Amino acid sequence: MILLISLLALSFNTESSVVYRNRILSSNLYLRNSFCTGGFNFYPEVGWSGKKNLVSGMIDEKTDFSLLSRYKSSYFRLLADFSRVENYSSETRTQSIALTAGREIRAGNTIINASLTPTIEIYTRRTDTLARVENPGASADLEIVKRLFFADVRAGLAAEIKKLTKRYTARTEASFNLKQIQNRFSGRADFESYPSTGGRTRFNRYEFTADGRWNFFRHSGFFAESYWKTRYLAKNYPESDFFSNEDFFAEGGCFFDLYLRQTSFRLDFSQGYGVHSKRAVGEEDIVTSKLLFETRWRNRIFSAGANGYMSIYRFFQNRQESYGDYDVSDRGAGLNISADLNPGIYTDCSFFYRENSTVYISENYSESNTVHRTYSLSAGAFLKPFDFLTLRQISTIKTDYTFFIFASDRNVVFRKYENKIEITTYAADGFTILLNGIFALQDRGGYKKTDENVGGKWYFLRNRYLRSFDAMAGVKMRIPGGFVKPYGGIEEKISFHANGEELTGVESYALKGYAGLGIEYSGPKGQAVLELRRVMDKKSEDQWEANFYLLFWF
């Protein structure tokens, strides 16, 4: 025996409330082994998972078994799945078995892989007197890989024939590498048939993809490269053209990189064109344009970076008329500044702006024209004034605007402020005190405009306000081979109805307390983790959670 790995994971979860009571016990077991005898290599794997609702009695079990055997260039694989679902007075059992036999043949620069897989699925219910065999059949696969000077060519054929369904697949792939030029082409065709209410339905799928790169300039820290990619996908239903459709898209672009001593720049732009055709609707043309830039400067203490992007997607749904034409644009910019003042002080500040919009050309769709803007500002600091004390703090302010260009009464604004604080104290060797706190404020409302006769000014009308607070304290103690971590905390959330600056009433209130214990052990033969957690809520019964994880090898 060469290697044996056994993995056991056990978890227990209890949930309860004043409306319903629910207790679920779930567990998992995984075993893997590998050994060699008589020139054969065996790799058996067994996995089992089970879940039981202790209140309703529902049981859901699943067992997976896999056995892979290799002998020289031949291999055999057995896959078996067993599942059982029991709910009240019903019980369903499903067993599926698949056996694969394959061989790999190598001759110079050519590799041939061939395999055959018969499959069967057995379905039984408690009310059935006999087991029912579902859709038995077999599948075969043949693949050829050939190396030709600077090119790799791969081609394959596959067939799956079952009692109810049939599928045939042909695929090919070729890649070319010529110093600074790389190209790859691939194609695939699928032919399927399956039963339907009107008899049998056929389905054909064709896909072709290609992409390439050309590094056309490289000198003294300056790099320039062009790229391209294209994709064609067609789905055809011979019995019903209503669902048939075709997609084609091609894109090409260039990017430039410049690296100086302390500064770097990148510029990337691309242009794309596509066509989506559906028999029942017609054709839709797609034109895309993208632009991206990045720059960063750094020295021994400070670092600063900026980035921005812009993309436009234009959709032409009807070539003769513009009733369905619309544009989708997305743009954004970011700025980041950080400073590593000394080994005990680090600060970071970031700003991000994003705007995306959907604009219909036709006035018939004018009320759906929208603009969404996001502003985000965050600042953080890490301080270590003493060897036994570390402080981390992150503050974030975020605002989301959604504008309806021709329906301003539907405008929405969401604002959020969040502050996180972490304090870690190394009180003694192997003894650490942890303190965490999160405070957040959120509000939501409309963004309206006063009448033009009184100035036409924009103002924010708040209709909902949310305040939350979460504090946690814990201790981490080192033990031989691991550590023990008891912790506890409190969480409060309160939501208010609002009319502008006035809070008109409490919408909801939740106050929870929680306590837990975590134990982790690691040794030369494995690893074990145990976590217990209890949640106390005034509005419902206490909740218990337990998780156990074991990894053992020999």
Side-chain angles (χ1 to χ4, degrees):
M1 186 176 292
I2 299 177
L3 177 65
L4 177 63
I5 298 179
S6 178
L7 173 65
L8 174 65
L10 178 65
S11 62
F12 176 78
N13 182 34
T14 301
E15 299 176 0
S16 59
S17 68
V18 295
V19 180
Y20 64 92
R21 178 176 298 175
N22 196 28
R23 290 184 174 89
I24 298 176
L25 174 64
S26 60
S27 57
N28 300 272
L29 175 66
Y30 176 75
L31 175 65
R32 180 181 179 182
N33 189 15
S34 63
F35 57 91
C36 176
T37 177
F40 285 88
N41 293 290
F42 295 94
Y43 307 90
E45 296 181 17
V46 178
W48 178 85
S49 62
K51 181 183 295 186
K52 182 176 182 178
N53 191 311
L54 302 179
V55 177
S56 65
M58 180 178 177
I59 299 175
D60 188 354
E61 294 181 0
K62 185 177 181 181
T63 303
D64 301 322
F65 175 77
S66 172
L67 175 61
L68 174 63
S69 175
R70 292 184 177 274
Y71 179 74
K72 297 183 180 179
S73 61
S74 301
Y75 65 91
F76 304 90
R77 173 173 293 176
L78 174 64
L79 298 176
D81 297 332
F82 307 93
S83 64
R84 180 173 74 98
V85 178
E86 182 179 348
N87 190 6
Y88 301 106
S89 60
S90 64
E91 182 183 23
T92 302
R93 294 176 181 266
T94 305
Q95 299 91 26
S96 62
I97 300 174
L99 177 63
T100 302
R103 185 172 183 180
E104 180 181 278
I105 302 175
R106 293 177 177 267
N109 294 329
T110 304
I111 302 175
I112 301 176
N113 291 307
S115 64
L116 178 65
T117 306
T119 60
I120 188 174
E121 184 173 328
I122 303 174
Y123 176 83
T124 59
R125 292 185 301 179
R126 180 178 295 176
T127 56
D128 295 337
T129 56
L130 297 175
R132 187 170 70 249
V133 178
E134 294 281 346
N135 202 22
S139 62
D141 190 284
L142 175 65
E143 184 180 60
I144 301 176
V145 181
K146 181 70 174 179
R147 176 68 177 176
L148 298 172
F149 301 105
F150 54 85
D152 292 326
V153 181
R154 185 188 301 266
L157 295 173
E160 182 182 90
I161 302 176
K162 295 185 176 181
K163 182 180 179 180
L164 301 177
T165 60
K166 294 180 176 60
R167 176 185 296 174
Y168 306 94
T169 302
R171 60 186 184 272
T172 181
E173 180 179 333
S175 59
F176 304 89
N177 296 314
L178 290 173
K179 294 184 178 180
Q180 298 176 339
I181 301 177
Q182 299 89 33
N183 292 298
R184 184 176 62 90
F185 304 89
S186 64
R188 180 186 177 99
D190 296 287
F191 306 91
E192 300 181 23
S193 66
Y194 50 89
S196 61
T197 55
R200 295 194 65 84
T201 298
R202 292 178 297 165
F203 168 67
N204 303 330
R205 182 179 184 272
Y206 310 93
E207 182 178 6
F208 172 79
T209 60
D211 59 80
R213 289 181 175 272
W214 176 31
N215 191 340
F216 59 89
F217 188 83
R218 180 189 297 264
H219 178 72
S220 185
F222 182 76
F223 304 89
E225 183 173 291
S226 63
Y227 58 90
W228 66 277
K229 58 183 178 181
T230 183
R231 180 174 182 262
Y232 171 78
L233 176 63
K235 298 179 180 180
N236 182 29
Y237 295 83
E239 284 79 15
S240 178
D241 285 344
F242 183 85
F243 299 101
S244 301
N245 59 80
E246 296 181 5
D247 286 288
F248 171 79
F249 185 78
E251 184 180 24
C254 294
F255 71 83
F256 305 91
D257 290 336
L258 177 62
Y259 297 94
L260 302 177
R261 178 175 298 179
Q262 296 178 335
T263 310
S264 63
F265 298 91
R266 162 165 281 207
L267 180 65
D268 189 342
F269 64 90
S270 63
Q271 186 78 28
Y273 172 76
V275 177
H276 173 72
S277 177
K278 193 171 184 179
R279 305 286 174 85
V281 179
E283 290 188 352
E284 178 184 65
D285 293 353
I286 306 172
V287 179
T288 66
S289 298
K290 299 178 184 179
L291 177 65
L292 168 70
F293 81 90
E294 296 179 355
T295 181
R296 176 158 292 278
W297 171 85
R298 61 173 59 87
N299 62 12
R300 296 177 58 184
I301 299 177
F302 296 97
S303 176
N307 63 81
Y309 71 93
M310 179 178 64
S311 61
I312 298 176
Y313 300 83
R314 175 159 294 182
F315 298 85
F316 300 94
Q317 293 188 346
N318 193 310
R319 295 182 178 179
Q320 286 74 33
E321 300 175 351
S322 61
Y323 292 123
D325 298 350
Y326 63 99
D327 293 342
V328 177
S329 63
D330 189 6
R331 60 181 65 89
L335 177 65
N336 174 263
I337 301 175
S338 61
D340 192 355
L341 303 179
N342 61 53
I345 302 177
Y346 177 82
T347 60
D348 182 271
C349 182
S350 299
F351 173 77
F352 178 74
Y353 165 77
R354 181 183 180 184
E355 176 182 322
N356 54 75
S357 61
T358 301
V359 178
Y360 286 87
I361 298 176
S362 171
E363 294 182 357
N364 296 335
Y365 297 88
S366 59
E367 290 190 0
S368 299
N369 292 353
T370 58
V371 177
H372 182 79
R373 295 174 182 169
T374 300
Y375 301 86
S376 178
L377 176 65
S378 64
F382 171 82
L383 303 176
K384 192 174 183 180
F386 308 101
D387 293 339
F388 61 88
L389 179 65
T390 60
L391 306 174
R392 292 182 177 88
Q393 188 268 341
I394 300 176
S395 298
T396 303
I397 300 175
K398 183 179 180 181
T399 305
D400 288 325
Y401 294 87
T402 300
F403 297 95
F404 293 83
I405 299 177
F406 295 101
S408 60
D409 56 319
R410 298 164 57 189
N411 293 346
V412 178
V413 176
F414 173 81
R415 303 186 302 185
K416 180 179 180 180
Y417 165 77
E418 185 177 81
N419 188 39
K420 299 180 180 180
I421 298 177
E422 298 180 5
I423 302 175
T424 304
T425 303
Y426 306 94
D429 187 21
F431 188 85
T432 306
I433 301 175
L434 308 173
L435 300 174
N436 297 334
I438 301 177
F439 177 74
L441 298 174
Q442 303 178 30
D443 59 6
R444 184 181 184 275
Y447 196 63
K448 303 181 181 298
K449 188 177 183 180
T450 61
D451 192 88
E452 295 292 343
N453 297 328
V454 293
K457 296 182 179 180
W458 289 95
Y459 66 97
F460 172 63
L461 182 62
R462 180 170 59 181
N463 54 36
R464 191 171 182 268
Y465 176 74
L466 175 66
R467 184 179 66 215
S468 62
F469 175 77
D470 188 355
M472 190 275 289
V475 177
K476 189 174 181 181
M477 298 175 288
R478 188 185 305 167
I479 60 176
F483 65 86
V484 177
K485 179 184 175 182
Y487 63 92
I490 187 172
E491 178 181 348
E492 181 189 46
K493 290 184 179 180
I494 181 170
S495 176
F496 299 91
H497 294 288
N499 184 13
E501 296 298 326
E502 180 184 359
L503 302 181
T504 58
V506 177
E507 179 183 13
S508 63
Y509 177 78
L511 177 63
K512 296 181 180 180
Y514 57 90
L517 174 66
I519 303 175
E520 181 173 338
Y521 171 80
S522 297
K525 292 295 184 179
Q527 180 183 11
V529 178
L530 174 64
E531 183 176 358
L532 302 174
R533 178 183 171 93
R534 182 184 181 184
V535 179
M536 296 155 283
D537 191 346
K538 282 187 174 182
K539 294 185 178 180
S540 63
E541 298 180 4
D542 294 352
Q543 301 176 15
W544 282 92
E545 297 178 4
N547 293 279
F548 176 69
Y549 168 84
L550 173 65
L551 177 64
F552 180 70
W553 59 85
F554 56 89

